[in-house]
Amino acid sequence: MIQSLKLFPKHFKNRLYAVVMVVVLAVSPLLPQTKERIISVHGTVTEILYALQVSPLLIAVDSTSSYPKEARSLPVVGYQRTLTTEGILSFKPTKVIGLETAGPTQTIQNLKETGIQVTLFPDEYNLDTPINRVLAVGKLLGKNKEAESLANQIRTQTQSLQLKKTNVKVMFLYSRNPSSVFISGSGTAAHAMITLSGAKNAITEFSEYKPLTSEALVKSNPDIILMPESSAEGFGGTNAIWSINGIELTRAGKEKNIILVDDLLLLGFGPRLPQALKILNEKWKQIE
C-alpha cells in the first residue's frame, strides 16, 4: 500500500513559516535597497529635481522639460497631458512626479494601480508657488534640508524684487501653428505672470484660453505682445505675427512691441520665477 508521507505535521509547518518570515524581516534592512527610478512629467518638477541635485535618479522626462539643458538628453515619455501607460511603464519607474495637469486621467489611474507612487502637485500661480513646490518635492524625496535652502533663496529673491506697477496692456498669444492662435484671459499662468510683473492683461472679458479674433485684438488694443519662444517659432516667427489681421491697428502692431520668453521660464512658476518677473517688469517700464 502506498501511503503519502507527511514529513512535518501542519502545526509544525506553520511555525516554520513564521520563523522564516521573522528572519527575512530581520535581515531585510541589510539587503541592497531598490534604487529610485523617477520620471518627471512636468518641466518645473524636472528643474526642481536638478536644483535639489537628485537628477541621477531621473530616468525620463516629459517634453516640457527643457531646463536645465542636461534634461534634454534624457528619454522623453511624451507631453504631460497626453501620457500613455505603456510609455511610462516601459521605463520601470518607482516614482512619477508632476503637476495635476498631467493626464489623461485613465493613464494616471492605470499607473497608480500598478503600485507606482504617482505624486501630482497643485497647478497654482502665485508668488509662493515655487517655494511650495520645492519644499514638497524635497519632502517627497527626503531632501528637506536642501529644499529649505533653495526655498530660502527663492524667498529672498522674491522679497528683494522692486517691481513697478504700470498701465501697460499685455496680450499673451499662444500658438502651435498659424491656423490656431489663442489668447489668455484670467485664471491662467500667463495672466498671473502679466499681473504679478506689474502690467495689465489686455483681455478682461473671459477666463482661460480662447481663439484669437480680429475684433478682440483691435478692441483690447494691447501695448505689447507676449509669447513663449517655441510658440512664436511654431507660428512662423515675428514677421508672421505682424501679419495677423487687425494687429496693425494696435499700439503693439504699430510699434512692433513684442517680447519672447523661454517657455518654462515664462509659465513654469519654478525656482526662476523672481528672474522672470524682473525681466518682464523691466520690459514694461521701457515701453510705458
Side-chain angles (χ1 to χ4, degrees), residues 3-23:
Q3 293 181 333
S4 62
L5 298 177
K6 295 183 178 180
L7 297 179
F8 304 108
K10 184 177 180 180
H11 70 278
F12 184 80
K13 288 196 294 184
N14 290 339
R15 290 180 180 176
L16 179 61
Y17 176 77
V19 170
V20 170
M21 289 304 298
V22 168
V23 172

Side-chain angles (χ1 to χ4, degrees), residues 108-162:
I108 301 302
Q109 183 61 33
N110 291 342
L111 294 174
K112 289 180 178 177
E113 290 175 354
T114 66
I116 296 172
Q117 184 179 6
V118 180
T119 304
L120 303 178
F121 299 111
D123 193 23
E124 300 172 338
Y125 318 123
N126 56 64
L127 289 176
D128 291 332
T129 297
I131 295 172
N132 295 336
R133 288 175 176 171
V134 165
L135 293 176
V137 173
K139 182 178 181 181
L140 178 67
L141 301 178
K143 293 287 183 180
N144 293 300
K145 183 178 179 181
E146 293 85 349
E148 189 61 45
S149 176
L150 178 57
N152 285 336
Q153 290 179 32
I154 299 170
R155 190 177 292 111
T156 300
Q157 293 171 359
T158 302
Q159 292 172 346
S160 65
L161 285 173
Q162 296 180 340

Side-chain angles (χ1 to χ4, degrees), residues 197-248:
S197 62
K200 295 181 178 179
N201 191 350
I203 302 300
T204 58
E205 292 81 7
F206 55 82
S207 60
E208 301 302 326
Y209 293 91
K210 287 190 176 182
L212 172 68
T213 65
S214 297
E215 292 77 13
L217 179 59
V218 175
K219 181 181 178 182
S220 60
N221 188 23
D223 298 308
I224 188 167
I225 300 297
L226 174 65
M227 291 187 78
E229 285 180 342
S230 66
S231 183
E233 183 178 346
F235 191 78
T238 53
N239 288 335
I241 294 166
W242 301 131
S243 68
I244 295 175
N245 190 26
I247 200 167
E248 73 279 5

Side-chain angles (χ1 to χ4, degrees), residues 42 44 99 123-125 129 133 172-174 184 188-194 209 226-228 231 261-270 272-273 276 280:
H42 196 280
T44 298
L99 303 186
D123 193 23
E124 300 172 338
Y125 318 123
T129 297
R133 288 175 176 171
F172 177 85
L173 296 185
Y174 181 82
S184 66
T188 63
H191 175 84
M193 285 301 293
I194 292 170
Y209 293 91
L226 174 65
M227 291 187 78
S231 183
V261 184
D262 171 78
D263 301 42
L264 196 56
L265 177 64
L266 178 60
L267 303 175
F269 277 78
R272 295 178 294 159
L273 177 63
L280 292 177

